[in-house]
Structures are given as C-alpha cells and as structure tokens.
Amino acid sequence: MYLPEIHDERETLCSSLAAQLDGVRGTVHGLSDEQARLRPLRSALSLSGILKHVTYAMLQSLVGAGLRKAEEADQDFYASFEPTEAETLEALLQRFDEVREEYLEMCRGGELDAVLPVGPMPWYGLDEPQPAHLRYLYVHHIEEFARHAGHADIIREQIDGADAASLMATIEGRPANQFVTPWEPSN
C-alpha cells in the first residue's frame, strides 16, 4: 500500500506502480502451485496466469526502453495469461521478482516528458504504436496493474477466503488492529 506522503511526481507514480505490483504478488502468498492455477470463477484467469501476464507487461516496457532483447517479451499476448506446466508458482514468482526490480529501476530513471511509442492496442482499435509521454505509460500501467490486482483479489477470496488487506498485513509483518487481522493458513 502506498500511503500518503509528500513526494515528487516521479516518486508518486513509481510508488503507485510498486504498490499495485505488491498487490498482485501478495495474492499468491501461502498458496501451492496447484491452488495458484485454480480458476474458481467463470473467468479463464488464474493467479499464476495473472502473475505471468503482469511480468509480460513489465518485460514489454523493458524491451521498449531498450533494456531487454525483444525475444524475451516476444510472446503471444493471450499466451501471456497461460502458464505452461514448467512454469510453477515458484518459477513465476522468481521471474516476477527479477523483472519487477528491473522495471521499477527503469521507472525511477526515465524522463517523464520523453516521447515513446505505446501500443499497438488492437482491442481498442489502435493497430499501430502511438506516441505518448512516459508519464502516460506509468499511469496506464497503474490502471492495468490495479485491474489485475483486483482480479487476483477476487480469485484468491474464492480459493480460501483470504483478502488483500489480511494478506498484505502478513507479508509486511503488521500486527492485527480493529480493521485487519493478518492472514494465517487454515488447516
């Protein structure tokens, strides 16, 4: 959770991105690989698939910035939601953490007024990349990562009833208060 503080624009954007990424990662805390692959809703999404897709989105940005080779993110968009058998929860988390660190480092160093190509986004009728400022990309990623963190919250609640606030309290080592009790596995 990115709590209120007085920060400049860059730190506010980057801290907001980091908070959304923490939320996505936090949804798998304490789950087995099998549980993380569950699809307890009518949706085709699983927690493992969301982790893989968010990693894919971060990789796309690193490639766009010239910090990674294109083949690392050269994957079918829809396949980015489907972990393979070899992509265990442990492997997905390791990859997510590696890419997240590099992605946030990139975010903290970019010039907010830099113009870069964003897209394509054929689902919005944009078949070619469009020019935009880097700050647009950050805000867009906050929107997308928040959307996926919300999907992940709902899926996790369906698996074992854990909610985002209790999971993050556990991960961050915060004690119980009148509003939130840290999550503990039920046996």
Side-chain angles (χ1 to χ4, degrees), residues 66-177:
L67 300 172
R68 289 281 187 124
K69 294 179 181 174
E71 63 264 11
E72 292 183 83
D74 188 23
Q75 175 183 17
D76 174 37
F77 174 81
Y78 293 105
S80 74
F81 286 99
E82 288 286 332
T84 64
E85 287 298 317
E87 292 173 315
T88 64
L89 179 56
E90 181 180 349
L92 289 168
L93 284 170
Q94 182 177 357
R95 181 80 165 144
F96 178 92
D97 290 343
E98 168 200 328
V99 173
R100 177 189 187 273
E101 185 176 326
E102 191 175 346
Y103 171 82
L104 289 173
E105 183 178 317
M106 174 196 70
C107 289
R108 288 195 165 84
E111 179 56 48
L112 296 176
D113 288 325
V115 176
L116 64 153
V118 176
M121 299 176 190
W123 43 91
Y124 293 127
L126 299 174
D127 295 327
E128 298 295 326
Q130 302 295 308
H133 283 125
L134 182 59
R135 76 175 38 83
Y136 164 83
L137 187 63
Y138 291 176
V139 171
H140 175 68
H141 280 183
I142 291 168
E143 172 190 26
E144 286 297 313
F145 296 161
R147 177 177 292 120
H148 292 312
H151 293 143
D153 288 343
I154 291 168
I155 293 169
R156 178 59 190 260
E157 285 187 44
Q158 291 298 306
I159 293 172
D160 69 356
D163 61 65
S166 62
L167 287 165
M168 293 311 293
T170 300
I171 292 165
E172 295 169 357
R174 289 184 277 118
N177 60 40

